[in-house]
Structures are given as structure tokens and as C-alpha cells.
Amino acid sequence: MLQGRSKEVSNLSAPIWSHRYIIGKQGKRKNQLENIYNISIQFPKKSSKVDILTVKHLPGADLSPLKLELSNLVKEAMLHHPPTHFISVPIEGSEIRTNITNFAELCSSQLGLTPKVLPRINKLHVTFCVLKLLNLEAIQKAQRTLEQFAASIPEIIGPNPLNCTLKNLKTFPGTNVRHARVLYADIEVDDGSERLQVLADTCLKFFIDHGVTSYKENHNKRKVLLHCTLLNARWGNCKSIDVSGLLDGHRLEREYHFGKCVLNHITLNEMSADKELDTYVQCGSIPIINSTESQ
């Protein structure tokens, strides 16, 4: 393959986030491309943040079939790429902060759970939808969409604040509590209204209607499950967590009170976290109740 023969060099572009997929497991896709098109491909270092692929080929070779295949692989990579951002409502409050801290200590001391799977005080939130934003243009579109959604909030929420309670411990139906992936708490509006549910569902649909996300990326659900994740096996790179000690044996839920809070903002966040502050990187925020409206 090209050894001992004269070569030309061409630069082709493919988004940085697609490189891993194009290379494939143990370089399988890269090797296939090189064998099919009689070329060699050099990918830039991850740290370089460059999207240029260096392709060595025979002089005068027609690279249009390769370009088409790379384009198709980029489309496939996007389908397989995990979400990068999410829209959520942060959960804050001194009572909740204290009780979550105590709950984490209980999980660690009595159940022996690793700290990595325990709740993060600065990361408590209710997710409305997840987004796949793979470039600056997509992020800016999401930011504009969030700002546009602000106009819909007063009709949904009204003049009264969203006073809520974080309560109960639950895992998903059908879960073996000794091998759970997630443990979460309910978030309920204290006045018994559906305002938070309507807000979440309307927000999800708004972002879908504006082409920022899709129902497929959000598990094909039209109704948002209002919850706050407390323990997650994925955080600790674990397959599962034994939560039977928290759920009284084989039950899927139990009563638990974490405290009261007021939901003040809807935020756009990166999935990745600020390790120094142990919080999500925020890309945008809108108020749920404007101070002028609540007066």
C-alpha cells in the first residue's frame, strides 16, 4: 500500500468529534478506508483541535469517492455521538443541601458506596431535555432558542413562584434493586399544580420544533419524567449499584424528605463538569419568574 511509490498529499476535513468513529475500534474503519482507496490517512492529535486529515495517495488519484464515504461516516458518527448538553432547572436550597449531604454520608458510611456515585450538591437538577451540540453554531442556536422560550414561560407558570419539594427515593420499574443503575428523587410543586410538568413538556417540544433536538434523542418520550438523580452507576464507571439497603429490601421506592426549594432558572449546560467547582458548565440561563412580574 503506497510503499515505495511516489505519493501526493491532500488535506480533507472531518469534524474533530467524528475522528474516533472514523478510525473505529482498534483502527478497523481507518484500515478499511486505506485498503479500499489505496491511501494512508493521518489523523491530528486530539490536543491539536484540528479537523484536517492528511491523506497520502497516488498522483492524480480521484478522491471524490473517499470524500463521499467520509461524509457518510460523519453522518453516522453524529447518530452514534452521545448528548453533549442538556436543558435543566437547578435545585438549590439550604435544607436540601444539608439533607443531601447527610444522605451521601449515609450511603458512604453504612452502605459502602464509592464517593463517585454519590450525589453532587452543586449538580442537583431536573432535566427537561438533552441536546447534541457538536459545534459552535449549534451551541449558539440552542442559546437563542432558550432565550426565545422565555416568552412562553409567563403563560405556563403565572405570577406565583415554583415552590417545590424534593422527596422520596425511587428506581425505575423492572429494576433489580441489587443491580440498579440509577436512584432518584421526585420533585413536586407544593400547590399540587401541573405547572412544572407543563413547563418541562413545552420546553422539550419547543426545542424539537426549533430543530435543536429530537424525541429520538430523548428516549422518544413526549412527557418529561420529573426527577432528580441522586446516585448513578455511570458516574463511578460501575455497571450497577446495590440500593436495596436504601429501599428496604426489594421495594422500588420509599418515602424520604429532602426539603423545600424554589425553582428560579432554566439553564443550558454542558454534560462535562467544571472539576474545580464541581458543577456543570453553564452556557445560558433564563429566569422562570421575572422579578418585575413577582412584585
Side-chain angles (χ1 to χ4, degrees):
M1 182 183 63
L2 292 181
Q3 291 183 357
R5 306 174 69 177
S6 61
K7 310 180 232 351
E8 287 184 357
V9 177
S10 297
N11 292 328
L12 303 182
S13 64
I16 297 171
W17 50 263
S18 68
H19 290 183
R20 183 176 179 181
Y21 184 82
I22 294 172
I23 294 170
K25 189 175 183 180
Q26 297 179 338
K28 184 176 180 180
R29 286 195 192 90
K30 174 179 177 290
N31 292 337
Q32 288 175 340
L33 291 173
E34 291 179 330
N35 290 329
I36 291 171
Y37 297 104
N38 194 22
I39 59 172
S40 67
I41 308 176
Q42 182 177 346
F43 287 80
K45 294 181 180 180
K46 293 180 181 179
S47 58
S48 68
K49 297 183 179 182
V50 174
D51 63 1
I52 298 299
L53 311 184
T54 302
V55 179
K56 295 181 180 180
H57 55 87
L58 294 175
D62 180 10
L63 297 183
S64 55
L66 172 62
K67 292 177 181 178
L68 178 60
E69 183 148 0
L70 285 174
S71 177
N72 290 333
L73 285 172
V74 169
K75 293 176 182 177
E76 290 179 18
M78 186 170 186
L79 292 175
H80 288 83
H81 201 287
T84 59
H85 294 71
F86 62 99
I87 300 293
S88 70
V89 175
I91 297 176
E92 302 166 320
S94 57
E95 181 186 12
I96 289 177
R97 178 177 288 271
T98 298
N99 289 334
I100 287 291
T101 299
N102 293 338
F103 174 73
E105 291 176 354
L106 169 70
C107 294
S108 178
S109 62
Q110 295 190 19
L111 302 179
L113 295 181
T114 173
K116 289 185 178 181
V117 306
L118 300 179
R120 276 79 156 174
I121 293 297
N122 297 325
K123 295 182 179 178
L124 298 176
H125 66 274
V126 179
T127 298
F128 284 2
C129 61
V130 298
L131 317 170
K132 199 179 289 186
L133 310 177
L134 301 176
N135 53 48
L136 180 59
E137 183 181 355
I139 294 172
Q140 291 173 339
K141 181 178 180 179
Q143 291 169 330
R144 292 193 301 270
T145 303
L146 180 63
E147 292 169 359
Q148 292 164 2
F149 180 68
S152 304
I153 296 177
E155 184 178 349
I156 299 170
I157 298 301
N160 298 321
L162 273 177
N163 296 308
C164 297
T165 299
L166 190 66
K167 57 191 288 189
N168 303 331
L169 295 174
K170 290 185 175 181
T171 190
F172 296 111
T175 297
N176 180 336
V177 295
R178 294 190 180 277
H179 301 281
R181 290 186 297 119
V182 170
L183 186 75
Y184 65 89
D186 289 322
I187 182 82
E188 295 182 358
V189 183
D190 291 343
D191 62 13
S193 71
E194 292 291 311
R195 290 184 297 154
L196 180 57
Q197 185 69 63
V198 174
L199 181 67
D201 296 343
T202 305
C203 183
L204 170 60
K205 186 176 185 303
F206 192 88
F207 273 78
I208 289 172
D209 290 345
H210 283 72
V212 182
T213 188
S214 67
Y215 283 119
K216 184 177 181 180
E217 290 173 6
N218 289 273
H219 308 291
N220 289 314
K221 293 182 179 179
R222 266 61 175 174
K223 186 174 183 179
V224 176
L225 174 63
L226 298 177
H227 71 288
C228 173
T229 300
L230 300 175
L231 307 179
N232 193 325
R234 181 169 52 83
W235 295 342
N237 295 318
C238 308
K239 290 184 177 180
S240 63
I241 310 170
D242 183 353
V243 296
S244 57
L246 295 169
L247 295 174
D248 299 330
H250 297 286
R251 297 171 55 194
L252 295 179
E253 62 181 270
R254 62 168 284 196
E255 292 184 0
Y256 204 101
H257 179 79
F258 288 102
K260 304 282 187 179
C261 62
V262 181
L263 304 183
N264 293 315
H265 297 88
I266 301 175
T267 58
L268 168 62
N269 318 277
E270 293 182 8
M271 288 286 186
S272 58
D274 184 320
K275 294 182 179 180
E276 185 175 336
L277 299 176
D278 195 28
T279 187
Y280 292 109
V281 177
Q282 194 177 110
C283 306
S285 176
I286 56 173
I288 292 177
I289 299 287
N290 285 320
S291 57
T292 55
E293 294 175 356
S294 59
Q295 289 176 355

